[in-house]
Amino acid sequence: MQAKETLFADLVQGRAQQFQVPLYQRTYSWTEKQLKQLWSDILEQAELIERGEKVNTHFLGSVVLAPSPQNEATFPRWLVVDGQQRLTTLSLALAAIRDHIREAEPDEAERIDEEYLINKRKSGSDHFRLLPTQADRSQFAAHVRGPLTGQAAGGGVAAAYTFFRRKLVEAADPAAPQDVFRIEQAITSRLTLVAVTAERGDNVHRIFESLNNTGLKLSQADLLRNYLFMKLHTHGEHVYETYWLPLQVSLSNEELEQLMWLQLVLDGDDRVRRQDLYAAQQQRFERGEASEEQIEAYIRELHRRAALFRRLLHPEEESDATVRAHLRRLDTWQATATYPALMLLLDRRERGELDSADTARAMSYVESFLVRRMICREPPNSLNRIFQAVPGQLPLDVPVADGLRQVLSADNRFWPDDENLREKIRKAPFYQFGRPPQRKMVLQRLEESYEHPEPVDFAAAQLTVEHVMPQSPGDEWLRMLGEDVADGESAQDLHSRLQHTLGNLTLTAVNSELSNHPFERKQGLLQGSHLEMNRRIAATERWGAQEILARADELADRAVALWPAPLSGVGRAERSRDWHLAHQVLAALPHGTWTSYGDLAAFLGSGAQAVGNHMAGTPGVVNAYRVLTSEGKVSEGFRWTSEDEEGDVRSRLSADGVRFTVTGAADPAQRLSSDDLALLVAEDDAQAEGEGTAQRTTGGGQGEETRADRFFRQLAADDSPETVAAVRELLSRWEELGGWIGHGAGQVTTSAFLMLGEAGAPGRGIWPLTLYPGGGRGGTAEVVFQHLAAREPFTDRALRAELLKRLNELEGVDIPEGKLELRPGFRLSLLEKDRDRELLAETLAWFRDCWEKRGAA
């Protein structure tokens, strides 16, 4: 047996050879969780390459190889006993890179093919350098042969390839563009593997077991603490009792690790990763041959900064009222990425380099940077890198607050200016971007800007973000919008374009009476509000497009005054952002789905004509042909932008799983709305609504309406007594199965979650359905596939597909497979039928059984 460290390129390049996955191996099973971690590691290595750093390769794991019985001297074949998931994933990533660059760099695409993916002069199954297990072979071969004429349906291999195609589109982000060839280099030459090559007769399974027998890992904080006190030979006990023990009491282990990392950043190491904290700090000590006094000084400084760090975690501990208000808002924003800058400000203030007024002013720039970027739909993926660099980039010749503003205004920081901010407040679907607490905070700050003599106590008030013009407009609303349409736009199109914009949103604590009712009925309710913004809405005679845009302009004036603009002349963002977002969401379209120009335009905050013009004039947009007219037809003006993509559009759509009606239109059930598109590119850490809002209903006080009472009252307002009774029976059956019912906190529209797991334990609960009252159109059951994709055991796509299949057995339910990553729904009125109720109850019992068996899997 031989074991050596190697790189992917060294393993697979060179003469013709093949790596065969034995038939007894499990099929390809990496989910998006593992793919995201690998992609993060790849991007980190690509960044190191860009900076010219030749060390710090990333260890990916082991590969155990044994000679294949089919081995030939001129064509080596190896059995992959362990590591097939890694090899398959890296091969699919390279296939995605090849297809991503094929049009612009055909020679480079061919090079990638021949170096890593195929044996050029071999045919049949020998043509492939990696030959997965039989169940995955046809899917893998289809992607390696590429480019596909249509997406391959289902399966982990297809999902992984699509993931990498989507991420490569994202990597073209003009805010932080990634060189695709550096990404290739990171995959092939910066990810290290331990290749264990067995001889004939070696017990390869014993080797496999030894490599995978791992124990509980120590945290970075544990490792560094052990190292520090190992170095304190003479007065370690004094240092421990005086500094370390209070430090450990005031912070959790995870918080302490974060503080240790922040100390490294503040001391000038702006490139260190948190997972490399121990090695980086150890190297600093070893290079300087640190004495016990220096080790003690380091711990003493940690102890001092811990009090500052706690103010970020617990803003109420800050003594200055203005600084405390800023810290509270940033805490509400969940702005952990800004910690290096905030710690620097508090540290400099404690050292006397700036006062509290300048500290608050500097924090206002941080808040503005975050808020303006969110409103203007700048993705948050570069925030960690931006703020980690702040301590090292702060100018020495200007005051700290001014220097911070200058750094954040620099080129490639994308701090939107006033013009961009005004445009996005007018047009962008604000309700679809950012996290719910962030959207609420923006509206709260705008309300505070009115400086009402009796301001609302936002901490005590149960306010939610609500639409003035409802999301499901009735006939009266559509008639009003019809008075404002122009240029051939329909009332529905106008509604889609404006419903989620900031001009149509407000904060309210009123109950479901607001709902979908005509504006005249809402005026009275809003007039009685304690919020000034609601009184101003109530003072208008109507609420159509003109009023929404006028309010947007007024709010834009206030936003410009509230959140300072970047310095001019330092750097300006390119205006290709919206189109990059369009490319990103189109690359993420699931198999068996399509969208329309109007849906895409509403998602972007643009116009359908502008979207069409861009698509027609931009070559290489992934899935451009899957954007159709609102009737599901190919646009008369559609033209292929590349010779490689010529062919019948309908055939391509069929190959992608899109069905057609007898009239030749794409199946409307497979259409993705602007809301569906927003889900495809939602932030990774955004929690599903039930995670934070579902609470087990308990009895209210005398005369107090419980959440359950509110849910059924709202349901009864729009649905028949038979539907309400059917829903009550369904919830009762769920409780008999061992589940519990959680109810959302919404006042205008509440909800009911069919929960499993511990009540009040975030991250542990799981739910298959969320039930919503109709708001004028009848109640719906939302199937939360998107949430389930991150919860065991339903990370397995096959289980989610089985859930979809069972639900589609209900009469009137026809959810397309393309919505398996989204949150599709069906009408609660279907449950009036006995057979549908029984089928759904059986499906829920199956769901419960799958979840309970997860630990034994």
Side-chain angles (χ1 to χ4, degrees), residues 780-811:
T780 57
E782 181 182 81
V783 190
V784 291
F785 289 124
Q786 185 192 39
H787 154 75
L788 294 175
R791 297 294 197 281
E792 297 292 350
F794 293 93
T795 53
D796 183 349
R797 193 176 191 276
L799 281 179
R800 301 199 305 278
E802 176 64 21
L803 175 59
L804 179 143
K805 176 184 173 184
R806 288 171 176 265
L807 291 172
N808 279 344
E809 291 177 3
L810 275 69
E811 186 178 345

Side-chain angles (χ1 to χ4, degrees), residues 472-528:
S472 301
D475 292 340
E476 290 189 42
W477 281 103
L478 292 176
R479 277 196 296 271
M480 184 188 302
L481 288 173
E483 299 170 6
D484 298 333
V485 297
D487 299 328
E489 190 176 30
S490 69
Q492 284 284 7
D493 290 339
L494 189 59
H495 172 265
S496 296
R497 181 160 59 83
L498 294 177
Q499 62 169 328
H500 295 317
T501 60
L502 194 54
N504 187 50
L505 300 174
T506 191
L507 292 173
T508 179
V510 298
N511 60 24
S512 62
E513 294 173 19
L514 198 60
S515 189
N516 280 18
H517 295 300
F519 181 64
E520 291 79 5
R521 185 167 176 183
K522 291 190 174 188
Q523 281 178 301
L525 295 168
L526 293 172
Q527 182 61 49

Side-chain angles (χ1 to χ4, degrees), residues 389-659:
V390 162
Q393 294 177 344
L394 207 63
L396 301 176
D397 56 348
V398 296
V400 175
D402 296 326
L404 179 61
R405 188 180 191 184
Q406 183 176 320
V407 168
L408 295 179
S409 300
D411 194 21
N412 291 330
R413 291 297 179 262
F414 290 86
W415 186 357
D417 59 18
D418 291 347
E419 180 185 354
N420 198 2
L421 181 66
R422 291 180 185 279
E423 179 187 2
K424 289 302 187 291
I425 288 177
R426 249 184 163 252
K427 297 181 179 180
F430 174 81
Y431 190 72
Q432 293 177 332
F433 216 61
R435 303 186 185 103
Q438 295 170 348
R439 299 193 289 266
K440 183 177 177 181
M441 197 203 87
V442 169
L443 282 161
Q444 177 179 323
R445 289 283 281 142
L446 290 168
E447 168 62 27
E448 290 171 340
S449 72
Y450 289 102
E451 298 181 348
H452 196 278
E454 297 180 6
V456 172
D457 182 357
F458 288 99
Q462 293 187 348
L463 301 176
T464 57
V465 178
E466 303 295 349
H467 296 70
V468 182
M469 176 178 66
Q471 298 185 70
S472 301
D475 292 340
E476 290 189 42
W477 281 103
L478 292 176
R479 277 196 296 271
M480 184 188 302
L481 288 173
E483 299 170 6
D484 298 333
V485 297
D487 299 328
E489 190 176 30
S490 69
Q492 284 284 7
D493 290 339
L494 189 59
H495 172 265
S496 296
R497 181 160 59 83
L498 294 177
Q499 62 169 328
H500 295 317
T501 60
L502 194 54
N504 187 50
L505 300 174
T506 191
L507 292 173
T508 179
V510 298
N511 60 24
S512 62
E513 294 173 19
L514 198 60
S515 189
N516 280 18
H517 295 300
F519 181 64
E520 291 79 5
R521 185 167 176 183
K522 291 190 174 188
Q523 281 178 301
L525 295 168
L526 293 172
Q527 182 61 49
S529 170
H530 291 292
L531 274 66
E532 181 63 25
M533 64 167 64
N534 287 342
R535 294 198 189 102
R536 295 191 177 209
I537 294 171
T540 61
E541 295 182 1
R542 64 193 296 276
W543 196 254
Q546 296 175 18
E547 290 73 24
I548 291 172
L549 292 173
R551 180 169 180 263
D553 291 339
E554 184 212 344
L555 295 180
D557 290 338
R558 295 183 173 278
V560 165
L562 273 175
W563 293 294
L567 297 172
S568 60
V570 178
R572 184 179 176 87
E574 301 174 18
R575 287 192 170 271
S576 59
R577 164 65 55 205
D578 286 344
W579 299 129
H580 175 73
L581 191 61
H583 301 171
Q584 181 182 341
V585 77
L586 289 178
L589 287 180
H591 180 83
T593 62
W594 61 278
T595 191
S596 74
Y597 292 99
D599 293 321
L600 185 56
F603 165 70
L604 296 172
S606 181
Q609 187 63 49
V611 168
N613 291 341
H614 173 77
M615 306 285 279
T618 307
V621 178
V622 178
N623 291 328
Y625 59 92
R626 291 166 69 184
V627 183
L628 307 176
T629 68
S630 58
E631 293 79 22
K633 300 290 185 70
V634 178
S635 170
E636 293 182 1
F638 177 82
R639 299 291 184 274
W640 294 109
T641 58
S642 167
E643 293 181 0
D644 292 338
E645 293 185 311
E646 291 181 353
D648 179 59
V649 178
R650 178 163 172 168
S651 298
R652 289 288 297 272
L653 290 168
S654 296
D656 281 344
V658 176
R659 303 187 297 262

Side-chain angles (χ1 to χ4, degrees), residues 205-259:
H205 294 288
R206 186 70 175 270
I207 299 167
F208 168 75
E209 290 173 0
S210 300
L211 287 168
N212 286 275
N213 184 21
T214 58
L216 184 65
K217 293 182 179 179
L218 293 172
S219 72
Q220 293 288 300
D222 293 330
L223 292 168
L224 186 52
R225 179 199 60 216
N226 295 348
Y227 172 83
L228 293 171
F229 284 95
M230 184 179 66
K231 292 286 187 179
L232 291 171
H233 303 293
T234 58
H235 50 290
E237 187 172 336
H238 165 73
V239 173
Y240 183 84
E241 291 180 355
T242 307
Y243 303 116
W244 191 268
L245 189 57
L247 190 63
Q248 249 180 199
V249 170
S250 66
L251 298 174
S252 69
N253 196 63
E254 183 178 349
E255 291 165 351
L256 178 56
E257 182 176 301
Q258 192 169 20
L259 175 62

Side-chain angles (χ1 to χ4, degrees), residues 56 97 144 171 258 374 405 492 508 510 661 665 678 683 719 771 801 846 857:
N56 294 329
I97 291 174
V144 170
Q258 192 169 20
M374 188 274 271
R405 188 180 191 184
Q492 284 284 7
T508 179
V510 298
T661 66
E683 292 181 43
D719 278 287
L771 311 186
W846 168 85

Side-chain angles (χ1 to χ4, degrees), residues 74 163 274 357-358 362 376 394 428 432 489 527 558 560 613 682 697 729 748 761 804 827-828:
T74 58
F163 171 86
R274 187 167 160 181
D358 280 336
C376 295
L394 207 63
Q432 293 177 332
E489 190 176 30
Q527 182 61 49
R558 295 183 173 278
V560 165
N613 291 341
T697 297
E729 180 183 334
V748 173
L804 179 143
R827 293 292 180 200
L828 290 176

